Amino acid sequence: WAVQEFDNDILISHDTGLYQFKDGALQKIGSQSGFWKITKINNKSNQFLASNYNGLFLVEKKDKKWTIKHKITGFDESTRDIIADYEPNTYWICHGYKGVYRIHLNSDYSRVDVVDHFTYKNGFKSPYNINAFYWNKKLVFTTNTGIYIYNSTKNKFEPYDALNKILDASVNTRKIVQTNDKTWFIQDDEIGYFEPHDFKQHKDLFLNLKGS
């Protein structure tokens, strides 16, 4: 599901488990299966969150060795897509068809102590196909019906006009990535980018990738 680099080590998240690719060979980390990806914990050096089909695991790199420390209790949903909130120890998790969860973990990352669940009752028109990204230092949520931002005062999600004016709200935006002066996006089966000076979509260059 993912190939990532941390501290010059390559980690692979796979249906059969978590692996380190080293010296041309795979070395399995722990015995668990079903990992989506790894996320570095901002305020903890050498500790990471491992997203799993059934929740989260704490992973640690110590003396150049990777180990799965423990399963984090209190949350057993699939954590396919996870992104850190502005608040410490707080994360947003996008489920494929159950909407969005906001979780808070205790200080030693042994358990989830708060879970908030957001669906179509909290501003979204549908709980399906929601993803989260940072854009211009704001946490935005892409859906089948446009792009949203969380209003903490109202405790609900509202359309984010700054991006909805640029990207077609009737098409699912599956990925947003900012690099230097460009914002790259994937909408359905098309890839493109826009720049801050004109916000014009540039997709023609990549038409041969359409459908791939």
Side-chain angles (χ1 to χ4, degrees):
W1 293 117
V3 178
Q4 299 168 277
E5 181 183 357
F6 297 102
D7 301 325
N8 296 318
D9 290 338
I10 296 175
L11 298 189
I12 298 174
S13 301
H14 191 269
D15 180 63
T16 59
L18 182 63
Y19 298 86
Q20 181 181 359
F21 184 72
K22 187 176 182 180
D23 299 327
L26 290 174
Q27 300 176 359
K28 190 169 183 178
I29 303 169
S31 59
Q32 297 86 353
S33 61
F35 286 98
W36 294 108
K37 67 178 181 178
I38 304 296
T39 303
K40 187 170 178 58
I41 300 173
N42 292 331
N43 59 345
K44 292 182 180 290
S45 61
N46 300 324
Q47 289 194 333
F48 304 78
L49 287 175
S51 296
N52 188 266
Y53 295 176
N54 300 295
L56 293 164
F57 286 81
L58 184 68
V59 172
E60 183 178 72
K61 182 183 181 183
K62 188 175 183 181
D63 298 327
K64 298 183 179 180
K65 183 179 180 182
W66 291 88
T67 58
I68 296 177
K69 299 292 290 183
H70 56 254
K71 186 179 188 302
I72 298 171
T73 62
F75 189 79
D76 297 321
E77 296 287 350
S78 174
T79 53
R80 171 186 61 86
D81 194 27
I82 184 170
I83 192 168
D85 187 62
Y86 315 104
E87 298 294 328
N89 299 4
T90 304
Y91 296 84
W92 292 90
I93 294 169
C94 301
H95 193 283
Y97 54 88
K98 292 184 179 181
V100 173
Y101 297 90
R102 182 178 58 190
I103 65 170
H104 181 272
L105 293 96
N106 63 349
S107 59
D108 63 359
Y109 276 57
S110 62
R111 64 184 174 88
V112 173
D113 51 23
V114 178
V115 178
D116 295 311
H117 188 196
F118 299 88
T119 63
Y120 60 87
K121 296 179 181 179
N122 305 98
F124 290 126
K125 294 182 180 180
S126 168
Y128 295 95
N129 295 332
I130 300 172
N131 294 285
F133 308 95
Y134 275 103
W135 186 75
N136 284 353
K137 299 182 179 179
K138 293 184 181 295
L139 187 55
V140 298
F141 296 81
T142 65
T143 75
N144 291 334
T145 56
I147 299 170
Y148 292 77
I149 194 166
Y150 177 66
N151 185 324
S152 59
T153 303
K154 297 180 180 179
N155 193 35
K156 66 179 296 186
F157 291 86
E158 298 175 336
Y160 187 48
D161 292 339
L163 276 176
N164 285 324
K165 290 178 180 178
I166 305 169
L167 299 172
D168 186 351
S170 67
V171 180
N172 184 285
T173 301
R174 298 192 290 114
K175 189 171 286 291
I176 295 176
V177 178
Q178 275 188 304
T179 58
N180 300 322
D181 60 342
K182 289 184 175 64
T183 296
W184 295 85
F185 60 87
I186 297 177
Q187 285 195 303
D188 282 350
D189 62 351
E190 291 187 309
I191 184 172
Y193 71 87
F194 61 84
E195 296 173 295
H197 62 271
D198 63 1
F199 298 121
K200 179 183 177 182
Q201 290 189 22
H202 299 273
K203 296 192 293 185
D204 292 350
L205 287 165
F206 314 103
L207 285 178
N208 62 332
L209 295 174
K210 184 176 173 64
S212 301

